[in-house]
Each structure stands twice: as structure tokens, then as C-alpha cells.
Amino acid sequence: MSQLIQISKECLSQVAAYLSKTPWEQEIKTKVSGMKMELKRPCLIAVCGEARSGKSTLINTFLKADLAKTGITETTATLTFFKYGSDKKDGTVICHWTNGKETIEKMAFVHSMQGYKEVIMKKAATISYIEIFINNPHLKNVTLVDTPGTGSLVPIHKRNSKALTHHNLSDSADLTYKANAIIYLLGHVGKILDRDFINNFNILNRSIAHPMNVIGVISKIDRSPNILNNRWNFARDVLDKFPELNTVIPISALLEKTVRTLEASGELSALRQWLSRIPKGTLEELLEEREFFDDDETLDGCPYTPAQRREKRSGIQWTIFQMIARTLMSYDYSKALSLLNEYAGFEKLCKVLKIHFFERDQLLKCNHIISQMHKELMQIYLYKLHLKKKKIMMRKAKIQKFNMLMNDLGANYKMPGEMVKLIKESKKNDFNEQEVKNKIASALNQVETVLDELAACNNDFSALQLLNDNRCDFTGEELTELTNLFGQYGLNPRERLDHLSTLDPNVIAQRQFYWQAQEKVARRTKRIVAEQAISRYARILRTTLEDLDPETQLSSPLVSMATN
């Protein structure tokens, strides 16, 4: 993927070259310099969602550390960045204040900045953001950001001053513009607030958010058996409602953390043995209600007192305990552990994050930055160019009126210094409108070409993952061909076509026809992969034909059919 970084850098350099000797030469040079620096930074992934939706729990579980405070009454009041740190920097906390100062703090300070109290909100208003450095391999190429909950910005923080709310909104707007990708936590049903937030996110992010870089997460599926049993139906419903999302994964971070902790200490298997001593019917009654389990003394056959039962489930949320107990007693230990991990959904989420974000971080970053440049160029083409020309025309009209006045006053009248300056500025800032339009159009064409290739690379990536997950559907030769074609070992045509002995367009066209035939008879997964193979071969053919003379291009009807 490092080739994508180089392609993006070259694109930015070409944009700067196109806009040289235009009124926006220095502005674009400055932006290009900043964007090239941004390409070197880790991919920025924002964890967004309503207050108390489980953002902090998700981050803690993913990083396997209690870094973000969690709880019923907790909500993150500041932007908190989780960055990679070496052994020496591991655990370091740096607070960046709005007055420009930086202070080194302890984790207790971070935890104190979470909650709804006005004193916390006032203090949060003086903080720009907090950085926490962790020696975690996941963070070498990725920075995670825990954001203030969207719900907290609407009903709860309205009780605080408007200035505090505006501060958080401004921080969120700034972050969403900078974020390369988003993990968005939703409730178990698609709420209007979530839709509004994503719409606002698109506006704040200048429409950069799209399915390439947004993953939805249904959190806290442990709230009831109904939600747990229908989690994938809810996921499909949410995905239908939110086309901005790449995919939707249902999870219970709390279940994952609880099971992992119990299993690591050996307490999970001990709990199974403890539960096995309770008669099955009695256990079912005890698990019906928390009050029964904790306090009931009337049930026959239970070998444990209420105090012993309360001690056994101490520190475990009731719905989580219910789920663990019922699963442990319904299956053998190995199967139960596998099912509990499946219910938690974290293995699935981690795989999706690894595939869609961590392994694609450079692709996401390049797409984000080149999209930003596209927005800048469109702003110049649609608005700034017109305003600049209007300003120059107004200056010319002013100079023309002054010249008429000078003619009336006679040759001996000395021109005022202010008017001399205006005439010089007018000559300096004047430009050929059509020539500048052509330069901007050329720059836009270059940027759009790169964005198109980035989108195609994203499709290659998705097809490659499908290929790896369904290898049994393909022959050995097909696997070798498609792995090369989708850019596993490089992105230039020679690397993509390493399975072919030649770059002859007719040979390439024959392979495209092969996959067209496969597409018509293949099942869903292979058909999707075949469609991308057809598309990628067509792109390679167009690139190859551009290097040939027109007569050679026209001499092959096979190639003509393939590219059409």
C-alpha cells in the first residue's frame, strides 16, 4: 500500500504545479505541504456515537486495558487520543489546553474529565484534547479517538452553558474533518438522532464520509435475550437504513471483557462446576430474576445461601451473568466458551477492523487527503474564482472612473499615492480567467483520476478479502491470478499481471472474457469477485492501450470488445 502514498504525493505535487502562477499558488502550496505531512501520520480513527453507547468500553476492550472510564453515569467530556508509545512513553498522558499550554498528567486526571457535572464541563471547555500513549502494536499505524457522545451534546449538555456545548461541537467538527475513518456506535434500533448525526457528520466532514471509511457497531446487545437472539436481524435493518455504513457488527464489549477475565483466571471453568451443583430446574428459576438469585431462600435443592450466590456473581452485571450461566450449563466447556465469544462479537469486530481499517489505513488516509484537495479545488473553481474576478473588475471600474476624472482635471494634476497603489495592485493581481480555469480543470482531472483509482483499489481490497475467506470456491490457478490481479504484491500493471507471461492486450482481454463467463454461472461470492476481476482487467487494458499507437489499438477487435 506504500505505492498509494507515493501516488497521492505525486498527485498533490502535480496540483501545486498546475496552480503555479495563479492567484492561489501560495495557498495551494501551503495546503499541499500540510497534506504531504499528514500522509506520514498514523491513520486517525474516530469512535463516535451517543453518550453511554459503549465507546469507552469498546476502546478499553480492544486495547485490553482500562484506559477510558466506563459506567452508567460516565460520558467522555473531552477528545481523547490513544496513540502508540514506546516502553519509555507507555502510560504517558499529555493534556493540551486551549491556551496553548501542555501538561503531563496521570490517568486519574483523565478519569476526572468524564461525566455530566457542570464543574467537569467548565474544565473540559479549557481543554483542547488529551493524548494517552500506549505500547500497543495496534496503534503503530493507527490513532484511536474517544469522542464526546452525540446524545450528551443534545439533551444533557443543554443544561450547561451554550459556550460549553459550542466548544464540544467545534471540537467534534474539527475532528470529523481530520478523521480518516469512523467507528460509529448505534443503539439496537436506528434512531433519528443517529441519522441526524451522520448527516451532520457528512456536512462537517465536507461529505468525505462514505462506506469506504464508516463501520457501524450495535453495542450492548447483552441488554436482553431478544436483542441477543435477533442481533444480526437488527444489524441488517440498521445497514438498510444507513447507506453511509460499510457494515454493521453487533457486539457486547462488557461480555467479552468479563469472559476474557474469568477465563484467564480459571474462574470461568470454576463457575461451571459451581453451577453444576444446583439442580437444573432450580437454576432456571434462580436465573429468571436477579432478586431470586440474590435473595430467595425458599427454593428447594439449592446448596448455596443467598449470600454465597451474591458473592459468586460479585462484580458481574446481571444480564451478563445470566448469559454466561445459561450458556455454560447448556454446552460442554469448549463449546460454551466459543459461543460466548461469538455472542460478544468482538472476534468478528476485530477481524473487520483489521481488514477494513488497520490493513487499509494507508488507503483510507490517501482517499481522505485527496478528497480534501478535491474540495479545495472545487471551492476555487465554483466560488473563489468568481469572487476574485469580481473584485478585479470593481478595481478596474474604479481606476477607469479616476482616469476620466484625471482627464477632466488636466495633465498638471498629480495622481494621489493611494490611486497609484491601486493601479499597481490591479496590474499585479489581474489574470487570464480562461487560462486559470483550464489549469484548475487539469488539476481536478488529475485528482479525480487518483480518487477513481483509490476507489478501485478499495474494491480490489474487498474482493481480495472475499477471495481469502472463500478459497475453496476457486482453483489454484484462479487464486494465483486473482491474488496478483487485486494488488496483493504490487499495484502497477506488471505486478498485477505477474501470472501472465506477457502484457499483450489480447492476452489480457482473454482473461477478462474468462471472468465474464465465470460471472454468469458463479454463485454469489465468486460472482462478486469475478465482477471486480472484469473491472480491474478493463482498467489495465485502458492503461496498456494508452501506450500503444492508434493503429495497433484499432487492429484488435478482441481488445475493442473488452474495453467497451
Side-chain angles (χ1 to χ4, degrees):
M1 291 268 184
S2 59
Q3 293 176 11
L4 294 178
I5 298 287
Q6 188 58 37
I7 290 170
S8 298
K9 284 182 177 179
E10 290 173 0
C11 172
L12 293 172
S13 296
Q14 289 172 339
V15 168
Y18 278 126
L19 268 72
S20 64
K21 297 181 180 179
T22 71
W24 297 275
E25 178 179 9
Q26 194 55 48
E27 178 184 339
I28 290 297
K29 276 185 178 179
T30 302
K31 289 186 183 296
V32 164
S33 178
M35 288 177 178
K36 284 184 176 180
M37 287 297 294
E38 195 175 338
L39 283 169
K40 297 178 182 179
R41 299 188 186 106
C43 184
L44 186 63
I45 298 179
V47 182
C48 305
E50 284 192 289
R52 307 186 305 281
S53 62
K55 299 185 302 299
S56 297
T57 303
L58 172 64
I59 290 174
N60 285 341
T61 307
F62 184 76
L63 296 177
K64 293 181 171 59
D66 291 326
L67 299 167
K69 194 174 181 182
T70 62
I72 296 173
T73 62
E74 304 303 334
T75 186
T76 303
T78 59
L79 293 175
T80 306
F81 290 72
F82 297 90
K83 297 184 173 183
Y84 177 75
S86 60
D87 287 334
K88 290 183 179 180
K89 209 171 184 180
D90 187 27
T92 300
V93 176
I94 300 178
C95 180
H96 297 259
W97 302 86
T98 54
N99 61 9
K101 290 184 178 180
E102 296 179 10
T103 57
I104 297 177
E105 306 288 348
K106 295 181 179 179
M107 280 306 300
F109 173 81
V110 177
H111 293 162
S112 73
M113 294 310 303
Q114 294 179 302
Y116 305 139
K117 294 179 181 178
E118 189 168 355
V119 63
I120 295 175
M121 296 305 298
K122 284 184 177 180
K123 193 171 185 179
T126 65
I127 296 174
S128 180
Y129 59 94
I130 294 172
E131 292 177 304
I132 302 176
F133 293 87
I134 312 154
N135 189 358
N136 186 302
H138 285 313
L139 297 176
K140 284 190 174 181
N141 297 314
V142 171
T143 294
L144 288 176
V145 190
D146 193 4
T147 65
T150 59
S152 68
L153 295 177
V154 181
I156 298 165
H157 291 179
K158 278 183 179 177
R159 292 200 295 265
N160 299 301
S161 68
K162 291 182 180 179
L164 297 180
T165 304
H166 178 73
H167 169 74
N168 277 342
L169 286 170
S170 297
D171 281 351
S172 297
D174 186 51
L175 175 68
T176 53
Y177 182 67
K178 293 177 180 177
N180 304 117
I182 307 101
I183 301 171
Y184 190 77
L185 275 78
L186 309 106
H188 67 273
V189 292
K191 298 178 181 178
I192 297 299
L193 177 61
D194 292 329
R195 164 61 77 177
D196 288 344
F197 179 83
I198 291 180
N199 287 339
N200 290 335
F201 186 94
N202 286 338
I203 295 170
L204 294 172
N205 204 31
R206 300 189 186 181
S207 301
I208 292 172
H210 52 71
M212 184 188 287
N213 65 350
V214 186
I215 285 181
V217 172
I218 301 177
S219 59
K220 302 184 180 180
I221 60 168
D222 50 76
R223 286 184 172 179
S224 76
N226 178 55
I227 296 174
L228 178 67
N229 294 333
N230 292 285
R231 62 193 185 281
W232 289 109
N233 291 331
F234 285 130
R236 282 189 289 272
D237 290 343
V238 171
L239 194 56
D240 289 340
K241 290 180 181 179
F242 299 109
E244 299 90 347
L245 302 175
N246 181 295
T247 188
V248 176
I249 306 294
I251 69 162
S252 169
L254 187 56
L255 175 62
E256 198 281 339
K257 180 182 177 182
T258 304
V259 171
R260 174 165 45 86
T261 303
L262 292 175
E263 208 273 329
S265 64
E267 292 181 38
L268 192 65
S269 59
L271 176 61
R272 187 172 189 273
Q273 291 178 351
W274 187 88
L275 290 168
S276 67
R277 298 189 184 101
I278 304 174
K280 186 175 180 181
T282 303
L283 180 60
E284 276 303 315
E285 287 188 67
L286 287 172
L287 292 175
E288 281 298 318
E289 297 288 343
R290 183 175 59 188
E291 289 75 12
F292 291 168
F293 191 90
D294 286 353
D295 304 319
D296 197 294
E297 298 180 353
T298 63
L299 288 172
D300 294 330
C302 182
Y304 308 114
T305 65
Q308 289 174 318
R309 296 198 298 263
R310 286 194 298 272
E311 183 182 0
K312 195 62 181 177
R313 80 164 194 90
S314 176
I316 304 176
Q317 185 178 306
W318 174 245
T319 55
I320 298 293
F321 184 82
Q322 279 181 309
M323 192 183 306
I324 292 174
R326 284 173 172 154
T327 306
L328 283 174
M329 300 315 297
S330 299
Y331 304 93
D332 63 67
Y333 183 77
S334 178
K335 175 67 173 177
L337 180 60
S338 176
L339 279 173
L340 287 170
N341 285 325
E342 183 185 329
Y343 295 153
F346 226 78
E347 289 182 358
K348 176 81 170 177
L349 176 62
C350 287
K351 182 179 180 182
V352 170
L353 292 178
K354 181 182 177 185
I355 291 171
H356 287 280
F357 285 167
F358 301 151
E359 291 183 1
R360 285 195 313 160
D361 66 303
Q362 292 185 358
L363 174 60
L364 293 170
K365 189 164 34 180
C366 292
N367 182 76
H368 176 79
I369 290 171
I370 300 303
S371 295
Q372 280 183 296
M373 178 54 74
H374 187 267
K375 300 294 179 185
E376 295 292 342
L377 292 173
M378 290 301 293
Q379 282 283 329
I380 294 173
Y381 193 82
L382 296 176
Y383 303 109
K384 293 183 180 180
L385 184 61
H386 172 72
L387 292 175
K388 193 78 172 177
K389 195 63 182 178
K390 185 178 180 180
K391 195 172 182 179
I392 290 173
M393 293 300 293
M394 289 174 65
R395 281 180 177 172
K396 285 184 176 180
K398 194 172 182 179
I399 292 170
Q400 187 176 8
K401 286 182 179 179
F402 180 79
N403 286 334
M404 291 173 64
L405 178 62
M406 289 291 294
N407 290 333
D408 292 340
L409 293 173
N412 294 326
Y413 187 82
K414 187 177 180 180
M415 184 180 295
E418 183 180 340
M419 188 52 65
V420 172
K421 183 179 178 182
L422 184 65
I423 292 172
K424 287 182 179 179
E425 285 182 357
S426 179
K427 290 180 179 178
K428 180 182 177 181
N429 293 326
D430 199 8
F431 62 92
N432 185 309
E433 184 177 9
Q434 190 56 51
E435 182 180 331
V436 171
K437 277 187 175 181
N438 291 340
K439 287 186 174 184
I440 298 172
S442 297
L444 277 169
N445 182 63
Q446 179 65 34
V447 166
E448 287 167 359
T449 299
V450 172
L451 283 175
D452 181 58
E453 179 57 28
L454 289 173
C457 285
N458 184 61
N459 293 336
D460 285 342
F461 191 93
S462 297
L464 196 57
Q465 296 306 319
L466 277 177
L467 185 67
N468 290 331
D469 290 342
N470 299 275
R471 298 178 71 86
C472 59
D473 293 341
F474 300 85
T475 67
E477 290 78 11
E478 289 174 339
L479 287 170
T480 299
E481 175 185 5
L482 294 172
T483 300
N484 291 333
L485 182 65
F486 295 146
Q488 179 74 57
Y489 306 111
L491 304 182
N492 65 56
R494 179 64 272 174
E495 290 168 324
R496 288 182 183 273
L497 300 179
D498 192 53
H499 53 283
L500 299 180
S501 58
T502 176
L503 292 181
D504 182 351
N506 289 294
V507 175
I508 298 172
Q510 287 174 354
R511 294 312 304 160
Q512 186 187 33
F513 284 138
Y514 171 83
W515 287 106
Q516 285 175 341
Q518 290 295 309
E519 180 194 19
K520 294 176 182 178
V521 298
R523 294 180 179 178
R524 185 175 182 274
T525 300
K526 191 169 185 176
R527 186 170 68 250
I528 294 172
V529 173
E531 287 171 355
Q532 184 56 22
I534 295 165
S535 175
R536 176 50 69 183
Y537 272 126
R539 297 179 74 85
I540 293 174
L541 272 172
R542 285 194 293 270
T543 302
T544 305
L545 290 174
E546 286 173 0
D547 298 331
L548 301 177
D549 60 86
E551 289 186 8
T552 305
Q553 293 180 28
L554 294 173
S555 65
S556 175
L558 188 65
V559 171
S560 178
M561 289 169 62
T563 53
N564 291 330

